[in-house]
Every structure is written in C-alpha cells, then in structure tokens.
Amino acid sequence: MAKRYYTLDPQKYDFDEIFGIEAQEAERDALLQSFNDPHIVKYRTKTIKSGNVLEVEVYPIWDTHTSTSRARKTKESREAQKRLNYKNAVKQVVRLINANFTDADFWATFTYDNAHLPKTYAQAQREVQKFIRRLKHYAERHAFLPLKYVYWTEFENDEKKGKRRIHHHIVTNFADRDVMEDLWGNGGRNNVRRLVADDSGYEGMARYCMKDPKGLKRYVASKNLKKPQITVSDTKFTRRKVNRIMYDKVNSYAVFENLYKGYQMTDIKKKTSEYTTGAYVYVKMKRKE
C-alpha cells in the first residue's frame, strides 16, 4: 500500500496566522525544536513564475496527521475565511498582471460626470462592459494586438448623504491612451498612465485596486490571459538545508540565487508555528536585467 503524506494547502490555510510572525529571540529555541519532528519526511518547494517575478514557497510534508492535527481542528471563523479568500484573490490577480503586462501597457481610472452616473452596481458593470466591447472593436479594426485586460469596479452608495461614488480601474494592453479616453464616453475625470514595474512587478498597483471590495466582485479578467507558471518539487530542499536557513547558518540570498540562476532575491520570510511542526519559507525574486 502506498504511503500517504500530509501537508497544509497554501490556498486553504492562512500561513500568516498558522505560522505566525517571526519568532522573538526568547521563544526562538523552543520553536525551532519542532524542526526535529521525525514525522517531517521532506520539504516541498512550489515555484511561481509571473513575468519577471518569481516566488518560492517551501513547506513541510508529514507522514502523519499528528503534526498537523491542531491546525486542521482549528475552525476558521467566517471573517477569517473571508480574509483568506481575499488574500488568495490578491495573489491571483497580482500574478495574472505580472504574467501578462509590461511597462508598455496602461493602468487607467475612469469616472462619470453627473449626467452619466449609474444608479446601481449592476448598471456600472454594464457600462464598463460596453466600454470593453468598444476597445475590442477598435483594436480589431486597427490591427492592434488582441485586447487583454483586468478591471475593477468601485461602487459606494451612501443614501444618508445622498452620495454615489463610482469609478473603474483597468489594466490593459490597448495601444493608444488618447483613443481609450475618447472611447470611454461617460465624462468624468479620467487618468490613463503607463505601468511602471518595481521589484515586485505591479503588485503595489494591483493591491491598491483590490482594496475595500465592499463584498462585490473584486475583479474581471479577459479569458486570453496566460496563467503563471507553477512547478512543484520535493527534492530542492532537504530538512537539513531548511533548518540551516532558519538558523541563519547559511546566506539565504546565495542559496536561492544559486538555485534560481538569472534571478535576484528581493524578499524572504521565515516562519514557525505553535500549531504545526516544521518551518515555512517564502522568497520573492526578480529577473535580473
């Protein structure tokens, strides 16, 4: 009978809560004892490539439920689950944007004048969808690249104050900013600017657009976006190597930059947990120019 192994799915658990913040010095030795759990059979490495950004997640695999039972028995409250869903949605859209857009593309914000202001969220969505169709039609007629986009709608209706605030953010490869503004056709103060990547690609912009979703649909993406490249390996990191990283006995930058040639490490997070044994390492890297 094949042996069964157990792990915590990063999409189902909030590692920021399960693994907590980095251990304080007084607690560090006690927490690191969990690295010697004999039920940790290996460490799994998930690599996510999104454009020029590479993320690496290293986490333990166990041969028993014992080492994960406390985490598995912890009931996620409704609010905790909402936070986790939101974090996963942010990761997904950040990776989609990094994988599909460059500094040659645009990030735009479109608003309405009073004459065109939608009364409902559904009406606002219909308006932005009509706008997308106009962009597609123009792009096809003028031999632009096939239209790619991600957009968000922010809708705030304060009945007590008699105030509605509606605007749309869109990231797109549409090639002409002036034409884009003309095709909007709903007035308002609009802003179209080039994307500018930093060490994390376009993460800052994407997080800004994802803020305060008000329980509404957070983003809409075109179906022609390519997915981030995800690979999984159980051989890149041994228990000994992970422990040496956690104990700072090796230069983590050198370890990851030697493993992922052509990339420069920009961030690393090393965490332990009071709920599970083992360690969790998250690394972010950018492609070298």
Side-chain angles (χ1 to χ4, degrees), residues 14-220:
D14 188 342
F15 280 111
D16 285 338
E17 293 188 6
I18 290 178
F19 285 86
I21 62 173
E22 291 187 13
Q24 300 296 320
E25 287 298 324
E27 303 171 346
R28 189 176 181 85
D29 290 340
L31 288 170
L32 292 180
Q33 288 178 7
S34 69
F35 298 166
N36 297 320
D37 180 1
H39 295 295
I40 300 174
V41 293
K42 55 189 171 183
Y43 275 87
R44 179 158 291 164
T45 304
K46 179 184 287 187
T47 303
I48 307 104
K49 291 184 180 180
S50 310
N52 292 325
V53 177
L54 182 146
E55 298 167 87
V56 185
E57 297 174 346
V58 183
Y59 49 93
I61 305 293
W62 301 272
D63 64 1
T64 175
H65 278 293
T66 303
S67 300
T68 64
S69 58
R70 289 188 65 189
R72 290 177 180 275
K73 288 178 182 177
T74 300
K75 289 287 186 180
E76 290 286 351
S77 68
R78 182 172 297 180
E79 284 303 313
Q81 188 60 50
K82 284 175 63 176
R83 289 196 301 271
L84 178 58
N85 292 343
Y86 174 71
K87 285 184 176 183
N88 287 335
V90 170
K91 286 181 182 178
Q92 184 178 30
V93 75
V94 167
R95 291 166 180 169
L96 273 179
I97 290 172
N98 282 341
N100 287 276
F101 299 98
T102 71
D103 285 0
D105 299 319
F106 294 104
W107 169 34
T109 302
F110 291 101
T111 62
Y112 298 85
D113 60 23
N114 290 334
H116 295 88
L117 191 65
K119 294 182 179 179
T120 64
Y121 174 79
Q123 186 180 345
Q125 286 295 84
R126 287 194 293 271
E127 285 301 318
V128 72
Q129 289 161 7
K130 287 191 289 185
F131 174 56
I132 292 294
R133 288 196 291 271
R134 292 195 291 270
L135 292 179
K136 282 184 178 178
H137 182 64
Y138 190 97
E140 291 168 356
R141 287 181 54 201
H142 293 82
F144 287 4
L145 292 173
L147 185 71
K148 295 193 296 185
Y149 60 85
V150 178
Y151 71 79
W152 301 258
T153 297
E154 288 194 33
F155 184 92
E156 184 178 357
N157 190 15
D158 192 330
E159 295 181 356
K160 293 182 179 179
K161 295 182 179 179
K163 180 181 178 181
R164 285 198 308 277
R165 180 175 176 269
I166 308 166
H167 63 273
H168 309 278
H169 297 294
I170 180 170
V171 177
T172 179
N173 68 336
F174 190 82
D176 192 314
R177 74 170 78 189
D178 294 328
V179 171
M180 197 183 336
E181 289 184 336
D182 289 341
L183 289 175
W184 171 238
N186 285 296
R189 296 180 179 178
N190 305 310
N191 186 10
V192 182
R193 57 280 206 195
R194 291 278 184 188
L195 286 171
V196 180
D198 58 21
D199 287 351
S200 299
Y202 307 108
E203 181 173 347
M205 177 274 300
R207 287 186 178 277
Y208 173 81
C209 293
M210 288 287 286
K211 74 182 191 311
D212 196 20
K214 300 292 186 184
L216 302 176
K217 189 169 185 178
R218 295 188 178 98
Y219 70 91
V220 177

